[in-house]
Amino acid sequence: MAISISPNQGSTTGGTLVTITGTNLAGATMVRFGTKPSPQIVQVSPTIVTAVSPPGSGAVEVTVTTPGGTTPPVLFVYVSPPFLFTLSTTSGPLAGGNTISITGTGLTSTTSVSFGGTSVIPTVVSDGRIEVTVPARATSGPVQVRAVTAGGTSNSLTYTYVGAPTATAIFPLFGPVSGHTAFTLSGTNLTGAHVTFDGVAATGIAVNGAGTSLTGITPEGAAGNAAVVITTAGGSTTVPGGFTYITPVFPALYVVNMTPGTVSAIDRVTKTVTTEILVDENPTNVAISPNGSRAYVTNQGSNTVSVISTATNTVTTTIATGENPTNVAISPNGSRVYVANQTSGTVSVINSANDTVIKTIPVGAQPTGIAVSPESTRVYVTNLSAGTVSVISTATNTVTATIHVGAVPSSVAFTPDGARAYVTNQGSNTVSVINTTTNTVTTAIAGDVLPSSVALSPDGARAYVTNQGSNTVSVINTATNTVTDTIAVNSNPRGVAAGPDGANVYITSLLPSTVSVISTATNAVTCTINVGTNPRGLATS
């Protein structure tokens, strides 16, 4: 009456169906697991009996009782149910094929692992660890992972199948070899993405909730085209066209000359005009994209904006705007260009990816000065006739607040940390300081005659204000909000721009038509550069 049992182990909770094979088993009346009888036995044949194990623990002897007696015992081992702790990787591609480790307890007898109902056979490493190759799946999303052992089915852990990423576009398409260009990538399945430029990781990656857009900062690179690769748990993809690193021809200063309708391109190192670029009628102001690749020039006389390629110093396109475009500002990530249209009382929003106007926002009367906050969330617009500053949300392209400042506000600039904004008020000869958290004026600094334009030093420690009526530049200590120095310049100063290295500040004057270069170390004019007639706005790269 020798017998065998299969399987020879089962869960401590009972319920394991076992098959007992032997001789002379006909008429079996009882199967015992240790001292406990099976709750259910079935006589399959004179040589086969099936039985369901009762709850138990440890190793027990199993016997079959028939009219002819009791069989010799055979060993059956009770196994505790498995419990899973961790998955070494919690997400992966739809194609599967990646190997992951699963840790837990009671895994020695694991026979299969289920991924959302699809079972695979694991490799048992130890009682505390198994390895398994993830199966493929048709759709993305989370599934429950469970291990099946002789002790039963484990608790579940979540594994997420991720669709392969796709990339449709990168903006901007090029930037300096020094890196630090803010970029935006569009596509699908971008959540958790890692981005490289010729194998070098980008920094500051942030992905929107839908996984369709991400932003980051380019690393340094060699001149030429770089392969841009996006990698996620779902796989990798290469961005069409890649990204082109360019070597700037020279540190540039662009000066708008209103009467001849030109822009003077100046080498800031040699302090000489390298070329004159013909734009449109009555240009007034200029802004340079954060990566230095393009300059946007407002043309009051033609109601347009000229776009200049700084690599070739040629106009590549002309954009129609509102009436009398007076000033221009570019978001720090380079994706949007904002134009103040003085006569229309509006701001044109330009998508710099295709240089088209995507929104026109009504603001106050005679908008003139304009600036984008460092975090790109707000645009401040000075309204000349209204004595106010309109606050625009870049998320909704709507005015969310109106701030009352001094009379005839003409220009505005943010501190580098975005905590404050400085506004020149020509009608009241003051500079208003705005707390950007509360959108309130915290102080008004007494200025000189007809303060026209304002610019902040790169470190935010000083504000420089041109005074048309006194032919001076006021230097404001932003820690104390007091004027610490006054610098004499040529007659009727208008525009002001600080060099990116903080060493110099540049001032346009109408009589004569010059740019004064001021050393920030000495607050003295070190040289003047002759430019076109009636110079107005200027910008540095």
Side-chain angles (χ1 to χ4, degrees):
M1 297 179 68
I3 61 172
S4 63
I5 187 169
S6 178
N8 62 359
Q9 53 186 353
S11 173
T12 55
T13 60
T16 301
L17 180 65
V18 300
T19 299
I20 301 169
T21 304
T23 58
N24 300 318
L25 299 181
T29 57
M30 184 177 294
V31 175
R32 290 184 181 275
F33 288 74
T35 60
K36 297 178 179 180
S38 167
Q40 179 183 325
I41 65 173
V42 175
Q43 182 81 59
V44 178
S45 72
T47 59
I48 299 175
V49 174
T50 62
V52 175
S53 65
S57 62
V60 298
E61 292 181 340
V62 178
T63 59
V64 180
T65 300
T66 71
T70 300
T71 64
V74 64
L75 200 63
F76 180 87
V77 178
Y78 280 100
V79 179
S80 297
F83 190 89
L84 303 186
F85 294 153
T86 63
L87 304 178
S88 62
T89 303
T90 58
S91 60
L94 291 173
N98 51 311
T99 299
I100 66 172
S101 294
I102 304 175
T103 63
T105 60
L107 302 179
T108 299
S109 62
T110 305
T111 55
S112 66
V113 176
S114 169
F115 285 75
T118 302
S119 294
V120 291
I121 298 173
T123 298
V124 176
V125 178
S126 67
D127 187 69
R129 183 164 70 92
I130 56 177
E131 292 184 349
V132 63
T133 300
V134 179
R137 187 174 176 85
T139 57
S140 60
V143 298
Q144 299 306 304
V145 179
R146 296 178 175 89
V148 178
T149 72
T153 301
S154 71
N155 61 306
S156 65
L157 298 177
T158 301
Y159 180 88
T160 302
Y161 282 92
V162 180
T166 66
T168 54
I170 184 172
F171 177 84
L173 296 174
F174 42 82
V177 293
S178 58
H180 304 291
T181 297
F183 67 88
T184 300
L185 275 167
S186 58
T188 60
N189 298 324
L190 301 180
T191 301
H194 174 76
V195 182
T196 59
F197 288 69
D198 271 351
V200 181
T203 57
I205 300 298
V207 184
N208 69 350
T212 56
S213 176
L214 68 79
T215 58
I217 304 297
T218 63
E220 294 182 7
N225 188 261
V228 181
V229 178
I230 302 173
T231 302
T232 70
S236 296
T237 188
T238 301
V239 179
F243 179 87
T244 301
Y245 283 100
I246 59 174
T247 302
V249 178
F250 53 79
L253 172 67
Y254 284 83
V255 179
V256 171
N257 306 305
M258 190 172 187
T259 303
T262 61
V263 173
S264 298
I266 297 173
D267 184 329
R268 288 193 291 107
V269 175
T270 62
K271 298 179 178 59
T272 57
V273 175
T274 59
T275 188
E276 295 285 347
I277 307 163
L278 183 65
V279 284
D280 222 323
E281 186 178 352
N282 293 338
T284 53
N285 267 294
V286 58
I288 298 176
S289 60
N291 64 10
S293 63
R294 287 180 289 182
Y296 288 78
V297 180
T298 54
N299 304 299
Q300 281 188 331
S302 58
N303 300 329
T304 60
V305 168
S306 298
V307 183
I308 296 172
S309 164
T310 58
T312 61
N313 280 332
T314 56
V315 174
T316 58
T317 191
T318 301
I319 308 165
T321 61
E323 192 173 353
N324 200 7
T326 303
N327 215 325
V328 58
I330 303 176
S331 61
N333 63 14
S335 66
R336 295 290 183 267
V337 180
Y338 298 88
V339 179
N341 305 304
Q342 193 174 79
T343 303
S344 299
T346 61
V347 169
S348 298
V349 184
I350 297 171
N351 181 346
S352 58
N354 53 19
D355 285 332
T356 58
V357 174
I358 59 173
K359 185 74 173 180
T360 300
I361 307 168
V363 288
Q366 288 192 292
T368 303
I370 192 165
V372 185
S373 63
E375 75 282 4
S376 296
T377 59
R378 290 173 293 178
V379 177
Y380 276 23
V381 185
T382 63
N383 302 303
L384 206 67
S385 297
T388 60
V389 170
S390 296
V391 181
I392 296 172
S393 164
T394 59
T396 61
N397 282 330
T398 57
V399 174
T400 58
T402 301
I403 308 166
H404 290 273
V405 288
V408 194
S410 57
S411 71
V412 58
F414 284 94
T415 53
D417 63 2
R420 288 172 292 170
Y422 286 76
V423 177
T424 55
N425 305 300
Q426 289 186 321
S428 52
N429 294 332
T430 59
V431 175
S432 298
V433 183
I434 297 173
N435 179 324
T436 60
T437 301
T438 60
N439 283 330
T440 56
V441 175
T442 58
T443 189
I445 306 168
D448 218 319
V449 184
L450 292 179
S452 178
S453 298
V454 60
L456 273 293
S457 59
D459 61 4
R462 287 169 291 184
Y464 296 87
V465 178
T466 56
N467 304 300
Q468 284 181 242
S470 59
N471 303 327
T472 60
V473 173
S474 297
V475 183
I476 296 173
N477 180 328
T478 58
T480 61
N481 283 329
T482 56
V483 176
T484 57
D485 205 350
T486 301
I487 308 166
V489 290
N490 283 338
S491 179
N492 205 344
R494 293 297 183 95
V496 56
D501 59 2
N504 294 299
V505 172
Y506 304 89
I507 310 294
T508 56
S509 293
L510 271 58
L511 296 172
S513 297
T514 55
V515 171
S516 298
V517 182
I518 296 173
S519 166
T520 57
T522 62
N523 282 339
V525 175
T526 58
C527 75
T528 57
I529 306 168
N530 293 321
V531 290
T533 306
N534 203 359
R536 297 300 178 101
L538 71 170
T540 62
S541 66

